[in-house]
Amino acid sequence: MVQLSLFLVSLVLAGFAALAWRAPAAGSSNRWFAAFTLSAAGWAGSIGAAYALDHVALTLRLAFASASLTPPTFLGFARHFPTVDARWPPALCRLALGAGLALAAVAASTGLVVADARLTPDGLSRKPGPLYPLFVSCFLATFGAAAALLIRRWRQARGATRAQLRYLAIGILLSGAGAITTNLVLPALTGSSRYGWIGPYFGLLLVGVVTHVIIRYRLMNLRLIVGRGLTLAAASLASLAPAALVLAALWDRLSERLEPAETAVFVAAVGAASLATPAMRQGAEALLDRYLYRSRADFRASVLEASRLLTRGSGLDSLASQLRVADLSIGAEGLAVYLRTDGGFRAVEAVPARAPVSSRFRCPEILPDEVLRMLADRRGPLGVDDLPGSLAPGAVCTGVLRDLGWALVLAIPFEDQVLGAIAVGPKLSGDPFHPQDLDLLATLANQAGIAVRNAQLHAQAVLANEHVEGIVSTIESGVVAVDAAGRITMFNRRAERLTGLPRAGVLGCAAGALPPPLGEMLSATLAEGRAHTRADAALADG
């Protein structure tokens, strides 16, 4: 089990290395990061191979070889991200990389760094070689220099770059500190590598932090590459977690009763079933939805069409258009709209039932009080099958809805007010309402609230304009008004006689169409924002 999990950690780190290397417009910082994560992947994979294969000495030497390259590649990344630090001598990076390559070659081919590697019941056991102190010194010195450089660059950075460096420093330093503790400090204190297998798991901490920086702060232009693949991978790991916990609890019994090949097949089958479960559940839900509901509204297309009609129409015209969209999308026996007036909630628009022979859908002139009270006490759609029948108000309202042939009633809201209600009959197909149908109706009801409120404001504005026009038309003085753009919006009969200009030909024109004294004064008032007065003015006709 340990070796399998270490191989997975290695694959994840190698995947991050490939993403960084293949990123669009990948620069030197991407390549150094790829080399850093690839060396960590080689280290984790080699430790996993030491537990899985018989060649413990070779695999452990390869682990030390990979570990020798981790600090110099980290140093190179710290110098090049986000841009090259000219104050840090490149010779030091080359020196650290050369020392790391030399130690990697010696560690992989000889026993001068690590020797007498064995796999015991307590875990891995090894003895330090003659060059082991040099390996530890180079590792700690290079890693410390890289950490100091990364922290210094973070303190000097600003904006998104500072956030990227902050999270990178946290991830790399915490994961590095954990790996150093389990694979260098504890072996030096205890003389055993018993806990060396824990070190690679700290790479997952680095992966998590780097993933966060990629998604939130666009690290090294990797966000577009990770995208859906990272989401799918995270979802897959989450679906495998319960099965992994069960397998870990039963691992000892499985290993006793099954052969290694049988254990591998069993683990693979459990993993495949865990990954397939969400897809199978979604497929089953889709089939059951099709069987239970048979038809449902196209939410996206209906909302787009209703929004288009809302912008093109105004007031009740837009409301009627939206009502027809809902009728065509859901296929109800009938729909009706009630709006609040001084005499109660009155019916203002209705789509007649399309099944006149069998339908009981009716549209009374006034919305019943029982329905209105339930709407005021309840949020969301009011369904005839959802009302609490054990309560007196619910039982009465249920009876009213059934007598009227209504399946749903939705409030038309605006802010904290209820401006009206939409009554919906049963589906012509006889199917129940799909949750997507209810979402569509609720969305259209919210849009209807906007349309109704706009209609009310428009009516108030028209009424106010008519009142002003009535007053102005009786004034014996000439009255001319322009809007903020300088277009003439008011021109009474006295102004017609004084200027000799027809009202119909002047309305909507610029102020320059008036005789110069009038046009100039109006334009000056708009431009300067203050009143202009003139005792007398000579018009063109004298």
Side-chain angles (χ1 to χ4, degrees), residues 298-315 317-329 422 439-448 450-451:
D298 188 341
F299 182 85
R300 179 175 177 274
S302 300
V303 170
L304 287 175
E305 177 65 15
S307 300
R308 184 182 66 83
L309 294 173
L310 182 64
T311 58
R312 293 183 60 182
S314 62
D317 292 337
S318 174
L319 182 60
S321 300
Q322 289 181 310
L323 195 61
R324 285 188 285 272
V325 169
D327 179 54
L328 293 175
S329 301
I422 300 177
D439 291 341
L440 173 61
L441 288 170
T443 302
L444 294 180
N446 291 332
Q447 292 184 342
I450 299 174

Side-chain angles (χ1 to χ4, degrees), residues 323 327 332-336 349-356 359 361 363:
L323 195 61
D327 179 54
E333 291 185 4
L335 291 96
E349 187 73 32
V351 176
R354 287 184 286 173
S359 176
F361 182 85
C363 179

Side-chain angles (χ1 to χ4, degrees), residues 5 38 68 76 99 131 134 184 186 211 233 304 428 483 521 537 539 542:
S5 60
L38 191 61
S68 301
L131 297 182
L134 178 62
L184 287 181
L186 289 180
T211 301
L304 287 175
L428 289 170
D483 59 16
M521 290 180 66
L539 301 181

Side-chain angles (χ1 to χ4, degrees), residues 43 46-47 50 55-68 103-117 126 135:
W43 174 60
S46 299
I47 294 179
H55 305 287
V56 180
L58 175 60
T59 53
L60 200 58
R61 290 203 302 267
L62 291 176
F64 273 83
S66 299
S68 301
L103 283 173
V106 172
S109 58
T110 69
L112 295 177
V113 176
V114 61
D116 195 19
R126 46 87 174 171
F135 165 81

Side-chain angles (χ1 to χ4, degrees), residues 433-477:
F433 284 92
H434 191 274
Q436 191 163 308
D437 300 331
L438 300 180
D439 291 341
L440 173 61
L441 288 170
T443 302
L444 294 180
N446 291 332
Q447 292 184 342
I450 299 174
V452 171
R453 187 56 178 166
N454 289 341
Q456 293 175 346
L457 295 176
H458 178 71
Q460 294 174 5
V462 170
L463 183 62
N465 287 336
E466 290 177 351
H467 183 63
V468 172
E469 288 279 359
I471 294 175
V472 169
S473 63
T474 62
I475 295 178
E476 290 301 322
S477 300

